[in-house]
Amino acid sequence: VIDELGLRVVLINDSVSWHAGLVAADETWAAGTIHLVDHDLIIPDGVTITIEPGGIVKFAHDTGISIRAGGILNALGTAGAPIILTSLADDNAGGDTNLDGDQSVPRRGDWTGVVVQGGEFNHTSDVDIRYISQTHGGTLAASETWLGSFVHRVNSVLVVPSGVALTINPGA
């Protein structure tokens, strides 16, 4: 926001828990706090992040989580307390976290998602993942369905071998 003197005004929301970079030790992200990933987050070997049921995690534009070999992300939402992973611009989850009123609107592809690089992403069907882009390439090991609510980017040759199905839902 630029004020009447031409100075840039930056709003900082100190009611959220900020996360970025290489995580050094196990963490539990509480459901009563909005969690904001403002730069790429890396979960290395031997580190576990647990998002409590009912937790909301928002991501700044073009950021995401990488789970390296030996790292674990637990997001075990329940029907009564789903976990939401979404864009910072998504005011429908946890309110106006970026403090811009109605100036921003979430869009598919806002954040880069959860990339599993040999680690584990343990989640239930009660995890609502919104407004991400996913990158694909290589040979599919099992059948996949690409959701229509995501942006899908193919960054190298994608091979669908015999016996494996790739379903791309409308809107993708």
Side-chain angles (χ1 to χ4, degrees):
V1 177
I2 305 295
D3 70 7
E4 64 277 356
L5 298 175
L7 300 173
R8 183 169 191 202
V9 177
V10 177
L11 302 173
I12 301 207
N13 187 341
D14 63 359
S15 68
V16 301
S17 182
W18 296 79
H19 305 280
L22 186 69
V23 180
D26 293 352
E27 296 181 3
T28 298
W29 295 2
T33 301
I34 304 298
H35 298 273
L36 175 59
V37 177
D38 67 334
H39 289 86
D40 286 333
L41 186 86
I42 301 166
I43 304 172
D45 180 32
V47 173
T48 299
I49 292 180
T50 301
I51 304 169
E52 291 183 342
I56 298 173
V57 182
K58 293 188 173 188
F59 293 83
H61 185 71
D62 276 342
T63 63
I65 295 178
S66 296
I67 309 168
R68 293 190 178 157
I72 300 171
L73 174 60
N74 291 320
L76 304 176
T78 65
I83 292 171
I84 299 173
L85 306 177
T86 191
S87 166
L88 175 58
D90 184 358
D91 294 347
N92 291 321
D96 183 21
T97 310
N98 60 1
L99 304 176
D100 71 346
D102 60 359
Q103 296 300 307
S104 61
V105 176
R107 302 202 189 299
R108 290 186 304 162
D110 270 356
W111 63 287
T112 59
V114 178
V115 177
V116 180
Q117 300 170 322
E120 296 177 37
F121 178 28
N122 302 314
H123 58 91
T124 64
S125 60
D126 295 304
V127 175
D128 184 6
I129 301 175
R130 306 174 181 176
Y131 305 110
I132 73 167
S133 65
Q134 287 186 306
T135 302
H136 307 277
T139 301
L140 296 182
S143 294
E144 291 186 8
T145 299
W146 294 1
L147 299 177
S149 57
F150 296 177
V151 170
H152 298 273
R153 294 187 172 110
V154 178
N155 67 351
S156 64
V157 173
L158 181 68
V159 177
V160 182
S162 178
V164 173
L166 173 60
T167 303
I168 302 173
N169 285 342

